[in-house]
Amino acid sequence: MSDTANSALDLEPFRSAGRALDALSNAGWVVQDVIGDVRATLTTHNLSGALVGLAPLQPAIGDVEAVGELDGHEIRLRMFGGVLEVVSLPAVDPHSLFDAGEDLENALRTWDRDTAAAQLLPLVWRVTAYLSVRGLVPASAEIDVRMAVDPNTIVTSFTAASLPALNRLVPATGARRVYLSLRGAAAPVHLGTFSLVASGATSPVLLPLPAIPPPGEAAAAQQGVALPSPYTLIPLAPTFGPLAEWEPAVRRCVAAAAASTWALLASRAELTGDTVSLDFLGFKRIRLALPDVKEMEPNSVAAVLELRAWALQDTSPDRLLAVRQVVSLYERDDAFGHARDIRASAEIIYVGLRSDAVAEVVKSSRDAQALANDTVRQALKSSQDLVKAATERFLAGLVAIGAVVIANASNNLSDDVSRNLLLLLAGFFGVLAIVAVFVEGPLLSLQMKYLAADLRAGSSLLTEQQRQAIVDGASAQATRERIRVVRASVPVLHVALAIAILLWVYPANFG
């Protein structure tokens, strides 16, 4: 997945349109909020005033239609390219509708397609203004914007849609789709191939490139049913903290990604209404009904997405075959709640499918265990050598201290010389403590620290769980504990001896 922005969306025109739309609502207009088809309607006797009220909405207005009615007869006006024109007149003589005078004159001019005269007629006008994003987004921008007035309209569209219906809301390819609300200030959320944006967010909004599906997901086919691909529904980056208005929609999309993953893993999928049936062909054939997206628990969703990452990471069919074998052993629909167990079992089958023989797996396990044992033995020997060396240095230090004390007591060394020698000994042990912390200790831990990486490089046939079990074995854990004790005790011993020299040997001379 890429986080590289390929375009930026300026929100200021949408904010202006939102403010103008709010003003229309306050003036009596009825706003019908539908994604991609926002329209405002007004019933009035003053058509000219209504058109003046629409002026602040330019250039968001894509179309305006006015229908005037009198005695069951209608005059229809429509705006083309910003110009209002008469498009439909009743098949009746205007003399039969209007009395002589100014109204009749305006009617005769209207029948001659005079728009200005039509606006002066005493009719009940139903005015409908359609909002379009074409005038708010630069033509050069490779963005597919779907506009709504309120963020709840967008959220409801996602939360109310069944899994098959989501396929119409979420693009699989092409330009990034943006669902944009004219109200709200929630931070944008970028999912696989679409984004949820509120006009009150920080502008401009950098839009990432559409996500790229993992190789296995791109190669898998949902035979017989059209469902959104999981990669289109998963957020491009982890989300931290509340998502404000967008949170229900994001949760529903992630759950839908998990449900769609099961359809990819199945041998065959079949759609009946909004119900998706899945066939798994393995040790036996089993048919399962895919649960409703709204019934999927967050923990179950996370487990399914982990299974997806493992099963669809490459184009080889072996992982899919292993998953289908395991799922076929379940009864009824309880397989959908055991994604982690299915993965653990499928990994073992996959290893057998990928190796030349099961014996190779056994040999790999034995070699990995031997490597771990050798590492443990070498680490123990190194720790013993370090303890032995530290003990020898400690005893040698005690002998040196005793020699200095005896020599001073017999007056063979002066107090100043004795004091300097003892200070040198204290400094020497301080240096030994520093070396133990920064040199000897890290070297002692080196082999155990990289045991997992060595197993991963040398035992590729084992599953990650098998390798981790060796790394976390009892002998390995005990060795790590011993190393921690040795790494802590050696420098402590050196520092303690240095402090003892400074505090208790000739205390009168160290004041």
Side-chain angles (χ1 to χ4, degrees), residues 176 189-196 231-236 250 253:
R176 170 161 286 272
V189 176
H190 305 294
L191 293 93
T193 57
F194 66 100
S195 299
L196 304 175
Y231 81 95
T232 65
L233 297 162
I234 299 176
L236 289 179
V250 173
C253 288

Side-chain angles (χ1 to χ4, degrees), residues 375 378-379 382-383 386 435-450 483 487:
T375 303
Q378 186 61 39
S382 298
S383 65
L386 181 58
V435 171
V437 171
F438 294 104
V439 179
E440 294 177 332
L443 287 175
L444 182 62
S445 303
L446 199 59
Q447 289 178 307
M448 296 303 298
K449 179 179 180 181
Y450 292 104
I483 289 174
R487 288 190 62 178

Side-chain angles (χ1 to χ4, degrees), residues 2 4 10 19 24 50 181 204 207 331 437:
S2 173
T4 304
D10 184 12
R19 290 190 292 267
L24 286 185
S181 67
L207 300 174
E331 298 294 336
V437 171

Side-chain angles (χ1 to χ4, degrees), residues 470-484:
I470 294 174
V471 172
D472 295 336
S475 60
Q477 292 282 25
T479 302
R480 290 192 188 92
E481 184 64 29
R482 181 187 179 110
I483 289 174
R484 283 193 289 268

Side-chain angles (χ1 to χ4, degrees), residues 230 234 254-255 257-262 265 296-312 323 327 330 334-347 465:
I234 299 176
V254 174
S260 192
T261 295
W262 285 117
L265 298 177
M296 301 189 72
E297 297 293 332
N299 291 337
S300 175
V301 169
V304 175
L305 295 182
E306 291 173 4
L307 176 61
R308 164 185 173 267
W310 177 81
L312 302 176
V323 171
V327 174
Y330 279 81
D334 56 352
F336 298 124
H338 296 83
R340 287 192 174 91
D341 294 338
I342 291 173
R343 174 182 171 178
S345 300
E347 284 180 339
Q465 288 182 335

Side-chain angles (χ1 to χ4, degrees), residues 398-423:
L398 292 179
V399 171
I401 293 172
V404 173
V405 172
I406 293 172
N408 179 262
S410 60
N411 294 323
N412 291 327
L413 291 175
S414 65
D415 289 345
D416 290 339
V417 173
S418 299
R419 181 173 59 251
N420 292 335
L421 288 175
L422 292 173
L423 288 174

